[in-house]
């Protein structure tokens, strides 16, 4: 049985308790992070910790834990659960006032709730899906306007994933005003010639930690990166496409709305970027 962390305590998962008045539960008033573990070490902990703080700041929520202590909790959970490859999920909510109310509770009397748990995923890095590539469909992006804040408000992304599954695809890319924003739980890219094209950062998309690393590695490898909007039609005519996220790293996309890209197999750029990303991130893992 997993050992999880809840509000300062390490407990067996069946004994972890959160109040029914918790604002994460009632209002999706919470933020989260997912950090990957490879070789028993954390990938880009610093990036996730910085983005967590930014999400909290944007929602005027206090952090219940310091960055140093947060790192210790991550490490302890990896250790006690004996995780070699997998993820750590972290969630902080505005806490549990004594009742349901739209107004934020007084932060002096209602402390944030913090929960962390591990997900054991042996073979995460050497995934067969990365060799085959994935299929995506396009759906309308009807999410709220602050997608840069990593909130637990994930119902539409979850529905998008189900729309994809229903038609035999793996995920959905979301479209707003004709342009691709991002995947349901990942950032989206296309490749034209030697150019990697991805939407620029704004409130419209999550500022992916993997995105930042991959774009940096791509530039260091002399690949050309263009941060701009692209349409789904442009994507269907691209040489390659791929996604990035902390749990999938770099994953080739080989089909969009039933249209195969190139020969329908992963191309040159995405698999190479995956290789570089895994290699460099492992070197810097803590
Ligand atoms: N966009 C969305 C909507 C996401 O949910 C995620 C992952 N949670 C990402 C992008 C990728 O971010 P990261 O690389 O930090 O995992």
């Amino acid at each position: 049985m997993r050992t999880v962390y809840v509000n300062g305590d390490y407990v067996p998962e069946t004994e972890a308790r959160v109040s029914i008045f918790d604002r994460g539960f009632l209002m999706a008033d919470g933020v989260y992070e997912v950090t990957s573990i490879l070789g028993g070490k954390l990938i880009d902990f610093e990036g996730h910790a910085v983005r967590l703080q930014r999400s909290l700041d944007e929602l005027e929520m206090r952090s219940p834990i310091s960055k140093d202590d947060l790192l210790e909790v991550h490490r302890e959970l990896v250790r006690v659960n004996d995780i070699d490859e997998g993820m750590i999920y972290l969630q902080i909510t505005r806490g549990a006032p004594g009742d349901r109310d739209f107004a934020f509770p007084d932060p002096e009397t209602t402390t944030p709730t913090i929960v962390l748990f591990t997900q054991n995923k042996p073979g995460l890095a050497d995934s067969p899906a990365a060799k085959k590539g994935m299929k995506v469909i396009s759906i309308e992006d009807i999410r709220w306007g602050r997608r840069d804040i990593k909130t637990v408000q994930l119902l539409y992304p979850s529905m998008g994933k189900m729309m994809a599954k229903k038609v035999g695809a793996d995920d959905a890319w979301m479209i707003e005003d004709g342009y691709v924003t991002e995947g349901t739980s990942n950032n989206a890219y296309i490749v034209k010639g030697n150019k990697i094209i991805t939407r620029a950062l704004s409130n419209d998309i999550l500022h992916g930690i993997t995105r930042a690393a991959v774009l940096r590695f791509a530039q260091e490898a002399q690949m050309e990166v263009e941060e701009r909007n692209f349409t789904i039609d442009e994507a269907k005519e691209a040489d390659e496409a791929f996604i990035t996220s902390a749990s999938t790293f770099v994953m080739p996309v080989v089909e969009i709305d039933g249209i195969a890209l190139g020969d329908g197999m992963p191309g040159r750029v995405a698999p190479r970027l995956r290789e570089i990303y895994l290699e460099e991130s492992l070197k810097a893992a803590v």
Side-chain angles (χ1 to χ4, degrees):
M1 191 193 291
R2 260 182 296 200
T3 296
V4 304
Y5 179 88
V6 53
N7 295 330
D9 297 320
Y10 294 92
V11 294
E13 63 185 40
T14 49
E15 284 170 31
R17 294 281 180 270
V18 175
S19 163
I20 63 157
F21 296 116
D22 195 278
R23 287 183 58 94
F25 178 61
L26 294 179
M27 310 238 166
D29 188 359
V31 299
Y32 76 107
E33 284 293 333
V34 176
T35 305
S36 273
I37 305 152
L38 291 177
K41 288 186 166 181
L42 302 163
I43 302 298
D44 217 335
F45 172 80
E46 179 67 23
H48 290 283
V50 168
R51 184 174 61 189
L52 172 67
Q53 191 55 54
R54 180 180 179 278
S55 293
L56 291 168
D57 289 345
E58 292 297 316
L59 297 175
E60 296 174 36
M61 215 185 283
R62 279 187 308 140
S63 175
I65 192 166
S66 72
K67 200 206 281 181
D68 287 351
D69 288 348
L70 194 58
L71 176 57
E72 275 322 299
V73 174
H74 275 77
R75 283 188 165 146
E76 182 63 6
L77 285 178
V78 170
R79 193 185 67 76
V80 296
N81 292 295
D82 196 21
I83 309 289
D84 181 55
E85 290 195 6
M87 286 100 79
I88 295 201
Y89 177 85
L90 148 75
Q91 179 170 328
I92 296 176
T93 75
R94 206 180 300 274
D99 202 352
R100 180 173 180 270
D101 189 348
F102 277 76
F104 290 175
D106 180 353
E108 294 303 318
T109 50
T110 300
T111 50
T113 301
I114 177 166
V115 164
L116 285 94
F117 56 82
T118 53
Q119 295 182 288
N120 192 25
K121 303 271 179 196
L124 187 65
D126 194 23
S127 135
K131 292 179 185 81
K132 218 168 76 182
M134 56 188 274
K135 299 175 180 177
V136 302
I137 58 165
S138 59
I139 61 173
E140 200 190 333
D141 196 339
I142 60 166
R143 297 173 301 161
W144 78 326
R146 289 306 304 276
R147 303 158 190 159
D148 56 310
I149 309 174
K150 198 165 168 64
T151 75
V152 295
Q153 207 178 263
L154 295 174
L155 183 53
Y156 187 65
S158 181
M159 289 168 72
K161 195 85 172 174
M162 294 313 295
M163 292 180 222
K165 273 179 177 261
K166 242 177 232 163
V167 295
D170 304 294
D171 198 13
W173 279 12
M174 294 177 282
I175 317 285
E176 187 170 61
D177 299 331
Y179 295 103
V180 175
T181 52
E182 58 189 334
T184 60
S185 58
N186 44 70
N187 290 114
Y189 308 73
I190 58 173
V191 180
K192 270 274 185 199
N194 282 329
K195 210 179 286 171
I196 298 162
I197 301 160
T198 194
R199 193 179 177 104
L201 296 182
S202 71
N203 293 350
D204 299 338
I205 62 170
L206 188 74
H207 301 187
I209 301 305
T210 320
R211 177 189 184 279
V214 164
L215 293 188
R216 191 172 71 244
F217 297 143
Q219 271 150 350
E220 283 168 11
Q222 317 298 329
M223 297 178 190
E224 209 183 320
V225 173
E226 205 172 293
E227 293 181 69
R228 66 160 170 86
N229 285 359
F230 61 89
T231 64
I232 196 72
D233 288 334
E234 187 178 7
K236 287 171 190 169
E237 283 164 15
D239 298 324
E240 289 182 44
F242 62 94
I243 58 155
T244 64
S245 77
S247 54
T248 62
F249 315 117
V250 178
M251 188 69 73
V253 168
V254 295
E255 198 181 294
I256 303 174
D257 288 333
I259 294 169
L261 303 185
D263 61 1
M265 291 295 289
R268 234 171 7 92
V269 175
R272 178 71 192 123
L273 276 175
R274 182 182 177 89
E275 226 170 68
I276 300 174
Y277 175 78
L278 286 172
E279 198 180 302
E280 294 300 319
S281 308
L282 259 172
K283 273 193 229 160
V286 297

